[in-house]
Amino acid sequence: MEHFQMYIGGEGRDAASGEWIESQNPFTGETWAMIPRGGAEDAAYAVGVAEEAFRNPAWRDLTPTARGALLRRVGDLIADNAERLAEAEVRDNGKLKLEMYGQLQYVPQWYYYYGGLADKVEGKTLPIDKPNTFAYTRHEPLGVCAMITPWNSPILLLSFKLSAALAAGNTVVVKPSEFTSTSTLELAKLFTEAGFPPGVVNVVTGYGPEVGEPLVTDDRVKRVAFTGSEAGGQRVYQSAAAGLKKVSLELGGKSPNIVFDDANLDNAVKGAISGIFAATGQTCIAGSRLLVQRSIHDAFVGRVVEFAKSAKMGNPMDMSTEVGPVTTPPQFEKVLKYIDIAKDEGCELRLGGAPATRPECGKGWFIEPTIFTGVENKMRIAQEEVFGPVLSVIPFDTDEQALEIANDVLYGLASGVWTQNLNRAHRMAHGIEAGTVWVNTYRAMSMTTPFGGYKRSGLGKENGTDQIKEYMDVKTVWIDMNDEFPSPFSMR
Ligand code: NAD
């Protein structure tokens, strides 16, 4: 059994309460690590340390170029430690090592990209309609930022935020999910190793209401970046509102993956599978609604079912495994509940629909890849986020109908369009109400492309050049070069 400590001010620290949370391995179902059950006292301490670090000349007076160099160094360290970090995530959340190792080798790019951007944030000199007056803008860091992350991809989702916030000159307190904290704790140590002053990156662990909420409501925290469920996002948004904080929310989705009859169907089958069964469907961008043109519906669904049937389940540490376990017992129950809902709604079960009892799944929390046809878009299975390996297939006839169904949900995170018709591809891309439209691909991610939700899928965008300014405030500086000050009683 491994014991992890919180990471505050460059040092490990137990919770003030002395209590612990068990972290379980979804493949074995057994507790493999203990993490501190932090509370309000720990959150306040970490914010104090982060605030002190923000004012410390060792960080505050670093030039943006020097900050960039530190970020590049931490990127190198993440690459060097990719295997170790990947294994921590596999043990904690059951994600495939195949996926995690690839992800961890890509994550450094976020630190290189924002490291490069750190010294390219330029203010403006402003044309001004007053004689002998000079005005310019400065972009300045905000201060202490709180970052709250979910269990499904702890390091990647944190890196979206952390790389930009640090490049902008802020300090950070992270609160990872109580289910999957260990990789974030390991990651934090690399910042000290890279040369970041102690207190610039801190991690508190524990439950949302106990340690996350006090973080969000602490007056010294200036910015909150949250990734998680819609309900969690609503709570965080409300709590942050009292302090009028800047907030970004990356929330859930019910993304349409739309296949037209003129698509390259070999690729579209793989796109449909990747949309819902990669990462066991536990991704915010899951293409959980597969919209298929009626003329190819039966043949296409048959191919998707056959492909899904052949997916290899089992130990996520095994590089040949393709579908791993569900991460947590509550999520396991939730997915099974939605399978029952779909059955009650009259959908036709074409594959799966039950826990996986294959010997290679051992005692893990596995659910068979599940496919329902005969789904109507108004059903709960088509409207609500399942966050698991459950695909709803919905037929359509025309482009207009596809768009109507695609947009008829509360969410708008991502979408896929499969067609070889250029005009149709662009028309769909313009018409879909979602933050990302992938044409003839799915689940592609880059640090250079803005990512985030429309509608209830969130507020704000992460990644891309604009994001660094989301972690900065703008100050306008006026210089009056006149020798005399005119009447003090009129506006200048
Ligand atoms: P969750 O909302 O239950 O928890 C997310 C984080 O918020 C956890 O760290 C949790 O402890 C914390 N939290 C909970 N209550 C809180 C409170 N009152 N104050 C402060 N913090 C609190 O979400 P989850 O189950 O961990 O993650 C799954 C959800 O995340 C899914 O809905 C998924 O779609 C979403 N998600 C979105 C994105 C995206 O980029 N849009 C990415 C990944 C996951």
Side-chain angles (χ1 to χ4, degrees):
M1 179 77 60
E2 291 186 42
H3 277 71
F4 287 77
Q5 288 186 299
M6 294 192 273
Y7 195 71
I8 303 173
E11 290 173 356
R13 196 178 163 91
D14 293 341
S17 67
E19 290 183 45
W20 299 87
I21 297 175
E22 295 183 5
S23 200
Q24 291 162 321
N25 179 331
F27 177 60
T28 61
E30 285 167 8
T31 301
W32 76 280
M34 303 293 277
I35 58 155
R37 180 173 173 176
E41 193 180 324
D42 302 295
Y45 177 71
V47 174
V49 167
E51 197 186 43
E52 210 172 293
F54 183 66
R55 303 194 190 293
N56 180 354
W59 177 243
R60 189 193 59 200
D61 294 349
L62 272 189
T63 64
T65 309
R67 283 203 303 268
L70 283 180
L71 280 158
R72 285 193 290 280
R73 212 171 299 152
V74 89
D76 287 343
L77 285 174
I78 294 169
D80 292 346
N81 287 274
E83 179 131 18
R84 193 169 60 81
L85 293 170
E87 284 182 4
E89 288 212 358
V90 177
R91 273 196 288 273
D92 251 353
N93 75 9
K95 234 173 170 155
L96 304 183
K97 186 164 172 198
L98 176 73
E99 157 126 354
M100 286 318 309
Y101 187 54
Q103 214 182 73
L104 265 299
Q105 284 185 318
Y106 192 29
V107 162
Q109 296 299 332
W110 266 262
Y111 295 92
Y112 301 148
Y113 178 80
Y114 285 102
L117 208 51
D119 59 6
K120 291 162 197 71
V121 179
E122 296 171 345
K124 289 180 179 163
T125 57
L126 302 162
I128 192 156
D129 59 343
K130 300 178 197 305
N132 288 325
T133 307
F134 171 50
Y136 65 95
T137 56
R138 286 169 51 79
H139 293 269
E140 299 180 342
L142 300 168
V144 181
C145 300
M147 301 186 169
I148 299 178
T149 53
W151 45 258
N152 63 321
S153 261
I155 290 184
L156 179 72
L157 297 170
L158 174 60
S159 294
F160 286 7
K161 308 168 192 352
L162 197 50
S163 52
L166 295 175
N170 299 285
T171 58
V172 176
V173 181
V174 184
K175 206 300 275 175
S177 168
E178 56 275 25
F179 294 107
T180 58
S181 297
T182 63
S183 59
T184 304
L185 290 165
E186 288 299 308
L187 176 76
K189 293 179 195 160
L190 298 183
F191 288 84
T192 307
E193 200 179 325
F196 282 80
V200 172
V201 177
N202 309 279
V203 183
V204 293
T205 55
Y207 296 110
E210 293 180 3
V211 71
E213 180 92 25
L215 206 54
V216 172
T217 50
D218 192 310
D219 279 334
R220 297 167 295 176
V221 169
K222 302 294 183 250
R223 163 84 156 87
V224 179
F226 175 89
T227 300
S229 64
E230 183 189 350
Q234 284 167 339
R235 278 195 300 277
V236 164
Y237 199 24
Q238 278 167 356
S239 306
L244 295 173
K245 299 186 181 184
K246 294 180 169 55
V247 177
S248 57
L249 303 171
E250 296 286 353
L251 309 177
K254 196 74 197 175
S255 300
N257 203 358
I258 309 170
V259 183
F260 288 95
D261 58 8
D262 64 7
N264 174 330
L265 295 180
D266 293 343
N267 288 346
V269 168
K270 288 187 191 155
I273 295 285
S274 140
I276 191 64
F277 299 125
T280 318
Q282 300 176 113
T283 67
C284 52
I285 50 179
S288 50
R289 290 184 302 146
L290 182 66
L291 277 53
V292 184
Q293 200 152 27
R294 205 178 302 273
S295 49
I296 54 163
H297 178 274
D298 294 354
F300 188 78
V301 171
R303 290 185 64 182
V304 174
V305 167
E306 284 312 308
F307 204 119
K309 237 186 227 172
S310 70
K312 187 167 177 268
M313 299 181 87
N315 188 345
M317 282 289 185
D318 180 342
M319 291 295 258
S320 68
T321 299
E322 293 168 326
V323 178
V326 170
T327 302
T328 73
Q331 187 60 24
F332 181 78
E333 294 305 326
K334 183 181 162 193
V335 176
L336 292 177
K337 186 190 89 182
Y338 271 105
I339 289 174
D340 286 342
I341 288 172
K343 289 177 183 166
D344 290 346
E345 286 179 311
C347 304
E348 187 186 344
L349 180 64
R350 296 289 302 273
L351 187 70
T357 51
R358 311 176 191 198
E360 57 272 33
C361 293
K363 291 191 184 136
W365 307 316
F366 285 84
I367 293 178
E368 289 288 342
T370 296
I371 300 177
F372 285 105
T373 53
V375 178
E376 290 172 30
N377 200 52
K378 63 177 187 325
M379 294 175 172
R380 285 185 66 190
I381 194 66
Q383 291 288 322
E384 298 174 18
E385 185 184 49
V386 177
F387 216 62
V390 180
L391 181 65
S392 297
V393 186
I394 305 172
F396 69 89
D397 292 297
T398 63
D399 293 32
E400 294 69 29
Q401 206 184 0
L403 257 189
E404 197 183 312
I405 297 170
N407 291 337
D408 185 21
V409 281
L410 292 173
Y411 301 103
L413 188 59
S415 58
V417 177
W418 299 86
T419 176
Q420 299 196 69
N421 177 325
L422 187 65
N423 294 350
R424 172 181 266 166
H426 281 295
R427 277 199 308 271
M428 295 302 291
H430 291 195
I432 292 174
E433 296 164 357
T436 294
V437 180
W438 285 296
V439 177
N440 296 331
T441 186
Y442 208 88
R443 279 189 102 223
M445 279 280 163
S446 169
M447 59 284 164
T448 66
T449 52
F451 174 75
Y454 275 30
K455 304 198 284 192
R456 287 219 201 161
S457 290
L459 279 183
K461 298 283 175 286
E462 296 186 326
N463 306 333
T465 51
D466 291 343
Q467 202 206 178
I468 192 166
K469 289 187 181 165
E470 296 292 317
Y471 284 95
M472 304 184 104
D473 232 333
V474 182
K475 178 182 280 173
T476 303
V477 181
W478 290 70
I479 312 278
D480 192 323
M481 296 175 287
N482 292 296
D483 289 332
E484 285 185 23
F485 195 92
S487 164
F489 299 106
S490 75
M491 196 174 97
R492 300 217 64 197

